[in-house]
Amino acid sequence: MKFKGNRVVGMKPKTRLPIVFFLCFCFFLVLLFGYIIFSLDLNRNRSQRKFLQKFPEEEGDSFGHGETGDSSISSIPFQVLSWRPRILYFPNFASAEQCLSIIGMAKSKLKPSSLALRKGETVESTKGIRTSSGTFISASDDSTGVLDFVERKIARATMIPRSHGEAFNVLRYEIGQRYVAHYDAFNPAEYGPQSSQRIASFLLYLSDVEEGGETMFPYENGANMGVGYDYERCIGFKVRPRQGDGLLFYSLYPNGTIDKTSLHGSCPVIKGEKWVATKWIDNQELEK
C-alpha cells in the first residue's frame, strides 16, 4: 500500500487543524497568565519604592526630636564630586537675592586678604600667593538674617553644629587675582601647636564668573603628588563658580590627620569678578 505525504499515526486529516488551534490557544493562555503575574509583581515593587520615597515626606511622620533638634524632615540635594579628597557639590544652596545681600554687606569692608604664616615666612616673602580682598562677617552681625539662614543650612549639610564654624570670610577676586594652592588645615610641624583644627571648608559662590576663577584640586585622587608640583599652576580637578551653589570639602580624615589630597586653590580670574563666602569648620567648639 502506498501513502502520499506525511501523516500522524492514528490521526485523521480532518482532525489536525482543530488540534493545532487548540494547542496554540493553550500556549497563548500560558503566555497571558505569565504576563499578568509579571505585571502584578512589577507594580508591587514600584508601589513599594514609591511608598519608601514618599514616607519620610508625609506630614506627622517625622520622629520626636530633642531640644536642639529640628521639628521636621528636610533634604538638601548634593553630588559627591570626589572621594579623594571628599568633595561635595550643593546646587542652588542659596538664592540670588541672598548672594547679592551678602555681597552688599561686604563691599564697604574689604581689605587685602592675609595669610597665616609658617615658621620663617614673612608678609613680604608670601606676597602674591593670595591676592584677593575680603572681610570677616559673623551671622550675629547681620540684621537681615541671611547669614543666619545660610549658617544653619551649612550645619545641616555638614552635620557639624554651627558652633564649630568660624565667621564667614567674604572674598572678592578681580581680574588676575588668585589664591595659590594651599591647605586649610594647619600642619603643627609648620605652624606650631594648634588649639583647634579645621575639619572642612564650605564655599558659597556669590557670583558667576565669565572665565577663570575655578576652585582647583591638583592632588585629586593622588594626581601630581611627588612629582615636584608647581603650586602656582592651575591644574587638576576644577569646579567652576556658579552663583548660589555650595562646595564642601574635608581637610581632615576621620582619624584627625590631614588629607594631603585636600590641597586646593583659586585659579586667576580671567574675565569678570568672583565673589565667594567661605565658612571654615573646626573640630572644636569656638567661642563667639
Side-chain angles (χ1 to χ4, degrees), residues 159-177:
M159 290 182 285
I160 300 175
R162 59 188 301 200
S163 57
H164 288 243
E166 300 179 28
F168 287 93
N169 187 10
V170 183
L171 301 166
R172 180 183 67 184
Y173 292 84
E174 299 179 284
I175 293 176
Q177 293 186 333

Side-chain angles (χ1 to χ4, degrees), residues 170-246:
V170 183
L171 301 166
R172 180 183 67 184
Y173 292 84
E174 299 179 284
I175 293 176
Q177 293 186 333
R178 63 176 184 176
Y179 195 174
V180 172
H182 61 283
Y183 291 103
D184 282 351
F186 298 105
N187 186 348
E190 298 177 306
Y191 293 93
Q194 302 295 309
S195 58
S196 65
Q197 188 63 280
R198 289 173 178 169
I199 301 175
S201 302
F202 192 99
L203 311 182
L204 175 61
Y205 296 115
L206 304 176
S207 69
D208 295 322
V209 182
E210 293 183 58
E211 188 177 355
E214 302 93 343
T215 303
M216 52 98 170
F217 297 85
Y219 286 172
E220 195 270 332
N221 202 30
N224 304 308
M225 299 184 76
V227 294
Y229 165 68
D230 181 355
Y231 283 63
E232 295 191 7
R233 295 178 62 194
C234 184
I235 63 172
F237 177 68
K238 301 176 186 178
V239 180
R240 184 178 180 180
R242 194 173 72 174
Q243 187 181 60
D245 291 355

